Amino acid sequence: MAEGLLIPLVAGIIAIGVLAQLVAARLQVPSIIFFLFAGVIIGRPGLGLVTSESFGSALPAIVGIAVAIIVFEGAFHLEFDRIREAPGAALRLVTVGAAIAFVGTAVAVRYFVGLPWELSFTVGALLVATGPTVVTPILDVVPVRDRVAAVLETEGIVNDVTAAITAVVIFEAYNPTASGDGIIQGFALRLGEGLLVGAIVAGILYYLLRYVDLSPGAAPRNARLLVLAGALVSFAAANELASEAGVAAAATAGIILGNLDVPYKSEITNFKGDITLLVLSFVFIALAAQLPPQAIREVGLGGVAVVLAVAVVLRPLLVFISTVGDRFTFQERLFVSAVGPRGIIPASVATLFAIELRTAAEELGNPALAHQADLLLGTVFLVIFATAIVEGGLARYIAEYLNVIPMRVIIVGGGQVGQALAERLEDRGENVVIIEEDEQALEEVRNKGYAAISGDGTDTEILREAGASNAKIVVAATGDDDVNLLVAQLAKSKFDAGTVIARANNSDNVDAFEELDVRTISSAMAAAWAIDNQIERPAIAHWMTDIGRDGDIQEIEVTNDELFGKTIRELGPMLPDACLVALLSKGDHDSAEVPTADTVVEEGDHITLLGRRKGVRDGMKFIDP
């Protein structure tokens, strides 16, 4: 392509990428789907506007810079506190699970596509990687429980690194024009060099950010640019030592720096997120455009068989093995099994491998290598396309069908009240996040296994970090009424939370809370009610105290159209055993009453179910499927 057309081409690809982002956000699906389709349309399979000659020899360098930014940005978000949500499952996913995917995929490629064993294991290594480029957009639109998100994010970051290095080592052992080290030695060398370079760069960046005057007026901007430069330097320096060691270096630098207390962290995060979106869209579109039309055709049904083996057989197998013994529900394990799309690392590295094989084919006069390059590229991209479109595009629907999108409840205050409430809510399957400022209380909360954020609950940014924008309920449960009142105000005015509940430690403050339309629980009145219950109705009081062990009470909105127009007399036999209708309210919770047998159920009514735990849960699914 003429040099004069290169700038319009790059600008056009970026514009298409931004448009794809807007469409994806509107439809709430991962943007990678539109990137891939856009690349195919404007590239070799479609209009031919972008080909392998469009960027000349600059494509590997462009891809390298993009990978450095993307991997660093994903690792920067991976905080150790999140990994602690499910450390056992995360560790098994990146070890046992990765090994199952690696070997199983290689065997499938060997027997279904017919590549030599060395290239089959190369493809197997590449397709271990999921990566933040495809996982993060899914989690943005599917707010699953924190422990589920934590294992998916950890798996994506770690497997990106190990997959890239393993694939390069195996490929160099096969490539006749390369002179590589032994497989184990090559892997250890690249990983070790990447870890070392990444740690050194992270240390230098930390020192500069913390202890060097970055010019007060422009400090946030300079901090952002400094971190961006650090990501590129770590990648480039490690790659000079050994190919693909840069991926490990960028990931290491990102994880270390992201877990340190550095200034302007939120500004750095937002800036790098915007840069990542641009380079991600450009690289995915450019790489998809390079795909030779014959590559997909040549893999044929064998490639389809590999896709099925990877997504339908190996993924569920490794997930269920890796999550044994952890707190994941069966539905959550199914969801993780259904979400394993492949991302930028397989696409970029496979493209570079195909280029090297074609070059070797010309140098050695061996057309078989060119054919193998097409098979390698076609297999990898077919898996990327299939998993991105099906798993990425349907992720939210799968999550809703499996009911793994829990109601997020934010509790400000991790004292005895907050912890007791969190225990009961988590037992019912809710996604609870506790905000606590006191370090000792915070440590106690985390030791008990609750998701917790350190900070002041009256800080808007802390509430936003906890997920207040998506929370259905915000509970202010501290021992300070002034704090609870301010939390309630912020939840109502800034985040428009569906329900705000506040603890009033002093009964004289109840009116101030209720003026904000906040549901208020007076500590004094709550104690009086509890004592009265023990005096007047000890059996029900004892049963209520033990909710979550044998019994349960839940309120649910009626959405099952089979029930519209039915009377309570007709509804009763349709409910599970040991599940009764206790109350019914029509829109307004204050209008709740014990229904008669002839009370008619209408759409939008709220029914309170009382009974044994399993019966109530099954009844909830029936009333609100």
Side-chain angles (χ1 to χ4, degrees):
M1 173 175 289
E3 185 176 346
L5 296 178
L6 182 60
I7 293 178
L9 177 64
V10 172
I13 292 176
I14 292 176
I16 292 172
V18 172
L19 179 62
Q21 291 280 356
L22 296 176
V23 174
R26 177 69 176 173
L27 299 179
Q28 288 197 315
V29 296
S31 51
I32 182 180
I33 298 173
F34 298 100
F35 296 158
L36 292 172
F37 275 122
V40 168
I41 291 171
I42 68 173
R44 296 175 66 183
L47 301 176
L49 300 176
V50 181
T51 65
S52 55
E53 292 77 29
S54 299
F55 304 101
S57 59
L59 184 61
I62 295 173
V63 171
I65 291 173
V67 167
I69 296 172
I70 292 166
V71 171
F72 183 94
E73 195 264 345
F76 191 79
H77 282 87
L78 189 62
E79 297 182 354
F80 293 142
D81 288 342
R82 289 183 63 78
I83 299 176
R84 283 200 290 265
E85 293 290 330
L91 178 61
R92 288 190 293 271
L93 268 178
V94 300
T95 53
V96 177
I100 293 172
F102 172 50
V103 175
T105 304
V107 172
V109 171
R110 170 62 181 166
Y111 288 104
F112 293 138
V113 178
L115 282 172
W117 276 113
E118 293 90 340
L119 286 184
S120 295
F121 276 105
T122 299
V123 174
L126 288 175
L127 294 180
V128 167
T130 51
T133 58
V134 283
V135 171
T136 301
I138 290 175
L139 297 178
D140 286 342
V141 298
V142 185
V144 292
R145 190 180 294 276
D146 285 346
R147 61 173 174 253
V148 177
V151 297
L152 287 170
E153 289 172 341
T154 305
E155 178 193 27
I157 292 295
V158 175
N159 282 355
D160 258 8
V161 174
T162 56
I165 293 176
T166 304
V168 167
V169 171
I170 297 174
F171 179 76
E172 288 190 352
Y174 175 76
N175 187 359
T177 62
S179 56
D181 302 308
I183 291 178
I184 297 178
Q185 179 185 355
F187 180 87
L189 182 66
R190 285 172 170 80
L191 182 60
E193 290 174 344
L195 293 175
L196 178 61
V197 171
I200 292 173
V201 171
I204 295 172
L205 289 175
Y206 178 74
Y207 175 79
L208 293 175
L209 290 169
R210 290 285 296 179
Y211 303 111
V212 175
D213 185 3
L214 298 178
S215 300
R221 181 196 64 199
N222 292 340
R224 295 194 297 263
L225 295 176
L226 185 63
V227 171
L228 176 61
L232 299 177
V233 167
S234 64
F235 182 87
N239 261 13
E240 281 298 307
L241 298 175
S243 60
E244 297 308 316
V247 177
T252 302
I255 289 177
I256 293 176
L257 203 64
N259 283 277
L260 293 175
D261 183 20
V262 296
Y264 315 112
K265 198 168 188 177
S266 60
E267 289 92 343
I268 293 170
T269 300
N270 294 335
F271 173 70
K272 288 192 64 60
D274 293 340
I275 295 294
T276 297
L277 288 178
L278 286 179
V279 298
L280 177 64
S281 60
F282 178 83
V283 171
F284 255 125
I285 293 173
L287 290 177
Q290 309 300 312
L291 185 63
Q294 73 273 13
I296 295 293
R297 289 198 300 268
E298 289 190 17
V299 295
L301 293 178
V304 175
V306 171
V307 171
L308 293 176
V310 168
V312 180
V313 179
L314 296 173
R315 181 67 182 176
L317 175 65
L318 70 89
V319 167
F320 273 80
I321 290 176
S322 299
T323 53
V324 167
D326 283 286
R327 297 184 299 164
F328 293 90
T329 66
F330 179 76
Q331 287 84 357
E332 287 172 342
R333 297 166 83 184
L334 281 178
F335 175 74
V336 177
S337 300
V339 178
R342 273 52 181 180
I344 192 69
I345 291 295
S348 60
V349 179
T351 301
L352 299 181
F353 285 172
I355 293 173
E356 290 189 32
L357 280 178
R358 293 193 189 100
T359 301
E362 294 177 1
E363 292 178 358
L364 303 175
N366 185 353
L369 291 177
H371 178 64
Q372 291 171 2
D374 286 342
L375 290 179
L376 183 151
L377 198 60
T379 303
V380 170
F381 266 89
L382 186 60
V383 173
I384 292 173
F385 267 94
T387 56
I389 293 170
V390 177
E391 298 180 355
L394 299 179
R396 186 171 185 89
Y397 303 101
I398 294 171
E400 290 174 347
Y401 177 78
L402 295 174
N403 195 27
V404 297
I405 303 179
M407 178 179 66
R408 171 154 287 202
V409 179
I410 297 176
I411 301 176
V412 180
Q416 292 182 345
V417 174
Q419 290 183 35
L421 178 60
E423 180 183 3
R424 296 165 75 85
L425 292 172
E426 283 220 336
D427 183 67
R428 295 172 186 171
E430 309 298 354
N431 188 19
V432 179
V433 177
I434 296 176
I435 299 176
E436 177 55 56
E437 191 172 17
D438 182 77
E439 289 299 326
Q440 184 175 352
L442 182 69
E443 183 178 357
E444 182 181 346
V445 166
R446 285 175 171 167
N447 288 339
K448 290 185 177 180
Y450 301 119
I453 290 178
S454 174
D456 182 357
T458 63
D459 186 329
T460 304
E461 291 305 316
I462 295 295
L463 285 171
R464 181 174 287 111
E465 181 184 350
S469 300
N470 299 319
K472 292 185 179 179
I473 297 177
V474 175
V475 180
T478 74
D480 187 329
D481 282 357
D482 290 335
V483 171
N484 292 343
L485 185 62
L486 184 52
V487 169
Q489 287 177 320
L490 289 173
K492 280 283 185 180
S493 61
K494 296 288 186 181
F495 299 101
D496 194 26
T499 301
V500 180
I501 302 174
R503 169 189 175 188
N505 299 278
N506 187 337
S507 299
D508 294 337
N509 295 329
V510 170
D511 291 341
F513 284 99
E514 291 184 344
E515 285 177 2
L516 294 173
D517 193 25
V518 172
R519 297 186 189 180
T520 309
I521 306 297
S522 166
S523 295
M525 291 303 298
W529 294 334
I531 294 171
D532 183 52
N533 284 332
Q534 290 290 346
I535 295 171
E536 297 294 335
R537 51 198 74 83
I540 191 70
H542 177 73
W543 186 82
M544 288 281 290
T545 304
D546 287 340
I547 283 180
R549 296 181 176 89
D550 300 317
D552 205 354
I553 299 178
Q554 293 285 341
E555 181 180 320
I556 192 76
E557 182 180 354
V558 180
T559 62
N560 186 347
D561 54 12
E562 294 180 26
L563 306 181
F564 302 161
K566 290 272 195 304
T567 64
I568 294 296
R569 179 185 289 107
E570 294 171 310
L571 171 61
M574 303 170 72
L575 293 173
D577 290 338
C579 178
L580 306 173
V581 176
L583 296 172
L584 185 143
S585 60
K586 295 191 175 291
D588 185 359
H589 296 280
D590 295 334
S591 67
E593 61 181 19
V594 178
T596 68
D598 295 323
T599 299
V600 177
V601 177
E602 299 174 348
E603 182 179 4
D605 287 353
H606 284 75
I607 288 179
T608 299
L609 299 178
L610 177 150
R612 292 182 180 173
R613 177 188 174 93
K614 185 178 186 307
V616 170
R617 299 300 170 84
D618 291 343
M620 292 172 66
K621 293 178 182 177
F622 173 64
I623 292 173
D624 180 18

